[in-house]
Amino acid sequence: MIDTFAQDVLNGLTANNKYLSSKYFYDDNGSRIFQEIMNMPEYYPTNAEFEILSMQSKQIIEALKFIGPFNIVELGAGDGFKTFKLLEYLVSNNVDFHYIPIDISQEAIDMLSTRLKKKLPSLKIHPKVGDYFKILKENRKSDYPSLLLFLGGNIGNYKKEEAIDLLGLIHKNMKIGDKLLIGVDLKKNPIIIHNAYYDKHGITKRFNLNLLLRINRELGADFKIDDFDFYCHYNPITGDVKSYIISLTKQTVYIKTLDKHITFDYNELIWTELSKKYSPDEISNLAKASHFKPITNFLDCKHYFADSLWE
Ligand code: AVI
């Protein structure tokens, strides 16, 4: 029996147009490289969303129209760097709420809880590790309304139908009165987007090639990293950033766990990631397609990024 990762690698690398899913970028090493990406000055989403949550916490909370205590449930809380500003605002205004960060990584949740307990000692925090939907289902039983946070623009990494499925599932696990604040990267000057993904430091290249190293490590493959390169391209009409690994020679790679030889042509591509950008109208359409009602968008001052509030 081979596991899901092995099966997905097999499916992707034996397809006519080769592909690998970007969800496999995030092993320990990949997560560290992603932190480096988020710290690059060219990767504008970090600062843009930080600005929204720092400067507009008051407006966001007012727009919820919650009366009395409520929950803030964060899907994929990670290091909680952006959410901190929102939590800090609520704590310093003595607002009655519970913070429920969810992540699949125990390590990330432990670090987040320790940091928050130190910085905001009066915060009522109930960290959870595990499957988003199971935890959301549990949360439906709460007497209080919830604000769900799905930040960072992760929805952009899903194809349209997949995004609608995922959001539909989130919707199914919410109760009447709950709201969702979702981070969405906006269409903008293509040069800004190009520089954020095709970065001159080569960090995004390392992020992509790490996927081949992961296959070497976990599936006993013999990818020679120097024989591959990285390319990405933004299409300002569709809003798609598509990332690829390029084979620099005609070559054969052996994957031991799969007992499979994979051949690559000279300049053959492996599609690794979609990072979709939306216009405000497209955000509304996405909300409606997944059974939500869009309320309002909170934008940073440059209009690079939106935290969109839906009910
Ligand atoms: C996690 N996700 C929103 C990032 C993005 O912008 O699509 C991942 C990333 N890929 C390259 N740079 C950042």
Side-chain angles (χ1 to χ4, degrees):
M1 253 279 282
I2 59 171
D3 65 11
T4 331
F5 177 49
Q7 186 63 55
D8 287 351
V9 168
L10 178 66
N11 293 345
L13 294 185
T14 53
N16 270 341
N17 295 314
K18 292 185 171 63
Y19 63 90
L20 290 168
S21 166
S22 61
K23 73 175 177 210
Y24 293 120
F25 280 163
Y26 303 90
D27 63 352
D28 287 346
N29 201 32
S31 301
R32 274 192 291 268
I33 306 173
F34 183 54
Q35 286 294 331
E36 283 183 59
I37 290 179
M38 287 196 295
N39 291 331
M40 301 191 304
E42 294 86 350
Y43 192 71
Y44 59 82
T46 314
N47 288 336
E49 198 174 38
F50 183 75
E51 183 209 301
I52 297 169
L53 295 174
S54 310
M55 312 290 282
Q56 300 181 66
S57 288
K58 185 168 183 275
Q59 289 84 340
I60 292 171
I61 298 303
E62 280 170 4
L64 298 176
K65 300 207 168 79
F66 286 160
I67 308 159
F70 60 91
N71 302 318
I72 294 189
V73 182
E74 181 163 17
L75 306 175
D79 70 357
F81 168 72
K82 286 169 284 225
T83 324
F84 180 76
K85 283 289 166 187
L86 186 68
L87 300 175
E88 187 184 47
Y89 166 81
L90 292 167
V91 168
S92 58
N93 284 280
N94 295 314
V95 176
D96 189 3
F97 76 106
H98 293 251
Y99 176 51
I100 306 163
I102 313 176
D103 207 283
I104 43 165
S105 157
Q106 180 76 52
E107 191 187 309
I109 281 288
D110 288 346
M111 271 164 56
L112 174 68
S113 314
T114 314
R115 233 191 50 202
L116 285 177
K117 279 180 190 149
K118 213 191 265 163
K119 288 187 143 182
L120 301 171
S122 63
L123 176 71
K124 290 181 252 176
I125 173 170
H126 312 276
K128 308 257 189 237
V129 174
D131 181 64
Y132 290 178
F133 301 108
K134 250 193 222 152
I135 300 168
L136 278 183
K137 216 174 194 171
E138 274 299 300
N139 182 65
R140 278 186 70 161
K141 295 182 197 143
S142 166
D143 295 334
Y144 305 132
S146 293
L147 168 65
L148 267 56
L149 301 177
F150 188 45
L151 303 176
N154 294 331
I155 198 66
N157 297 130
Y158 294 84
K159 292 180 198 147
K160 191 176 171 200
E161 317 76 59
E162 291 171 357
I164 292 172
D165 284 354
L166 173 70
L167 293 166
L169 211 54
I170 292 178
H171 181 271
K172 224 174 97 186
N173 286 288
M174 289 167 70
K175 58 183 185 306
I176 293 175
D178 287 356
K179 295 194 171 62
L180 171 69
L181 188 69
I182 178 170
V184 187
D185 199 5
L186 296 173
K187 287 180 170 170
K188 59 184 70 63
N189 183 335
I191 299 166
I192 306 275
I193 296 178
H194 175 89
N195 292 341
Y197 288 85
Y198 207 46
D199 70 277
K200 57 175 187 278
H201 321 278
I203 301 176
T204 313
K205 171 175 165 174
R206 242 195 307 129
F207 187 50
N208 275 257
L209 295 183
N210 177 60
L211 191 45
L212 303 186
L213 290 175
R214 179 173 182 180
I215 299 173
N216 280 354
R217 225 178 11 252
E218 292 183 23
L219 305 179
D222 59 1
F223 279 102
K224 291 193 206 73
I225 298 306
D226 291 346
D227 290 342
F228 292 87
D229 204 347
F230 164 71
Y231 175 70
C232 76
H233 168 260
Y234 175 57
N235 179 337
I237 311 295
T238 61
D240 292 352
V241 174
K242 287 190 173 177
S243 299
Y244 303 91
I245 290 171
I246 318 163
S247 174
L248 294 176
T249 60
K250 187 173 166 62
Q251 54 185 318
T252 300
V253 171
Y254 179 63
I255 306 179
K256 195 161 170 240
T257 304
L258 300 171
D259 190 20
K260 185 96 193 156
H261 288 92
I262 308 283
T263 56
F264 292 90
D265 271 337
Y266 179 46
N267 288 334
E268 186 172 350
L269 302 175
I270 310 171
W271 180 28
T272 52
E273 188 175 45
L274 169 69
S275 299
K276 191 170 169 51
K277 312 305 168 198
Y278 286 84
S279 69
D281 279 347
E282 288 165 336
I283 296 178
S284 294
N285 291 339
L286 180 64
K288 289 173 201 154
S290 36
H291 313 294
F292 284 94
K293 187 173 139 208
I295 305 176
T296 189
N297 289 335
F298 298 94
L299 307 186
D300 62 300
C301 64
K302 291 178 178 154
H303 293 194
Y304 283 177
F305 198 91
D307 277 328
S308 189
L309 185 66
W310 302 355
E311 66 183 336

